[in-house]
Amino acid sequence: MKRLSIISLILLITFQLQAQEKERSSIGGRPNITGDLFLDFGFNMLNNRPEDLNTRFIASRVFNVYYQTQIPLGQNTGFTFNPGLGLGLEKLAFKDGMTLVSDPDKSVNSSMLTSITNVYGQDASVSTNTMALNYFDIPLEFRYHVNHDDYDSGIRVAVGGKIGLLYNAHTKIAYTNGDGLEQKIKNSQNYGLNPIRYGVYTRLGFPGFNVWGYYGLNGVFEGNQGPYGTESTQFNFGVSVALF
């Protein structure tokens, strides 16, 4: 619910700004705000992970909402610089009924991978098992527009990077015990996650539609604080739609 509220607020503010600018443009000749509101849909994978740190592909999803403005680099060159901001909302879903818990042999802000039945009982029947990683992101990219006369039409290619600040991480588990009692557990903590992420990405765009990929350059977990001392990095990919 909190996630939907934040996204709705961003969309509302952005659309209000666009509507106000269009109204001013029609009255006083002021130009509209140039930019894009992207909704990214994709999948989240871990690179360089230990064999035991397996994730389920379909359940490990990505949803990003980014607004990026457009700064032309020269007149009709086809090149623009597109800074922005937004939210990166991601899930990791571990296989074989495994979840992250604090590791008592490490610091308070650490984690290890263990079976859900070890935590909630051997008779637990699990229906939901995901982990959420939510970031404030700042994407920065350079685009080349094939159509030099109209940057809103035609094919465009973008390369860039983004830096993100982790503002929330939690596991979400739903299970039924041996007595038929249904339980839903949401556990928010640090889990030894890196509070900052950064990486590079590319985007191939068409009017209203894009395909994209992101490669993280730093570890998902800090130092030796994650399970198995992992130095895993992120790899995300998917499609996106541009609302304007």
Side-chain angles (χ1 to χ4, degrees):
M1 185 63 69
K2 287 183 180 179
R3 178 183 300 180
L4 291 177
S5 298
I6 293 172
I7 294 171
S8 299
L9 180 60
I10 290 176
L11 294 177
L12 178 61
I13 292 173
T14 306
F15 282 128
Q16 284 181 333
L17 289 174
Q18 287 291 112
Q20 291 171 3
E21 286 301 316
K22 288 179 180 178
E23 183 178 356
R24 292 191 186 112
S25 178
S26 62
I27 296 175
R30 182 175 174 177
N32 294 334
I33 294 176
T34 58
D36 301 281
L37 180 63
F38 288 118
L39 300 183
D40 293 346
F41 304 90
F43 301 98
N44 189 16
M45 301 176 66
L46 295 177
N47 285 322
N48 305 318
R49 59 169 178 77
E51 184 176 351
D52 293 332
L53 201 63
N54 292 321
T55 57
R56 291 174 284 138
F57 177 71
I58 298 297
S60 298
R61 298 185 296 271
V62 175
F63 175 66
N64 303 323
V65 53
Y66 294 147
Y67 174 75
Q68 292 177 259
T69 190
Q70 183 165 283
I71 302 173
L73 301 178
Q75 185 175 3
N76 295 334
T77 63
F79 290 97
T80 60
F81 174 58
N82 300 77
L85 55 84
L87 298 176
L89 310 175
E90 306 181 359
K91 290 185 182 296
L92 286 174
F94 298 107
K95 287 185 177 180
D96 304 322
M98 306 295 282
T99 189
L100 291 183
V101 297
S102 295
D103 189 341
D105 295 329
K106 298 178 183 177
S107 66
V108 175
N109 296 324
S110 65
S111 63
M112 65 180 184
L113 199 66
T114 189
S115 173
I116 293 175
T117 56
N118 290 339
V119 181
Y120 299 110
Q122 295 298 317
D123 59 353
S125 176
V126 180
S127 56
T128 300
N129 175 26
T130 58
M131 178 177 182
L133 300 91
N134 300 324
Y135 298 88
F136 290 116
D137 282 336
I138 300 177
L140 304 168
E141 69 181 51
F142 293 93
R143 294 183 197 165
Y144 175 70
H145 304 256
V146 173
N147 188 337
H148 291 194
D149 298 319
D150 184 1
Y151 289 176
D152 292 328
S153 65
I155 298 172
R156 47 194 173 269
V157 180
V159 293
K162 67 180 177 182
I163 183 169
L165 174 66
L166 182 71
Y167 70 88
N168 176 264
H170 63 265
T171 57
K172 187 175 182 180
I173 297 171
Y175 71 94
T176 303
N177 64 19
D179 297 325
L181 179 64
E182 296 182 358
Q183 299 282 335
K184 294 182 180 180
I185 310 295
K186 183 178 177 180
N187 190 352
S188 298
Q189 54 180 292
N190 179 271
Y191 293 106
L193 292 163
N194 205 322
I196 301 292
R197 72 165 177 182
Y198 53 88
V200 295
Y201 70 89
T202 185
R203 188 188 298 272
L204 176 62
F206 306 89
F209 175 80
N210 301 265
V211 293
W212 58 272
Y214 166 79
Y215 186 88
L217 297 178
N218 68 323
V220 177
F221 296 89
E222 286 191 291
N224 194 39
Q225 300 305 302
Y228 313 114
T230 180
E231 298 180 358
S232 301
T233 58
Q234 286 182 306
F235 174 60
N236 301 342
F237 66 95
V239 298
S240 65
V241 293
L243 298 188
F244 55 79

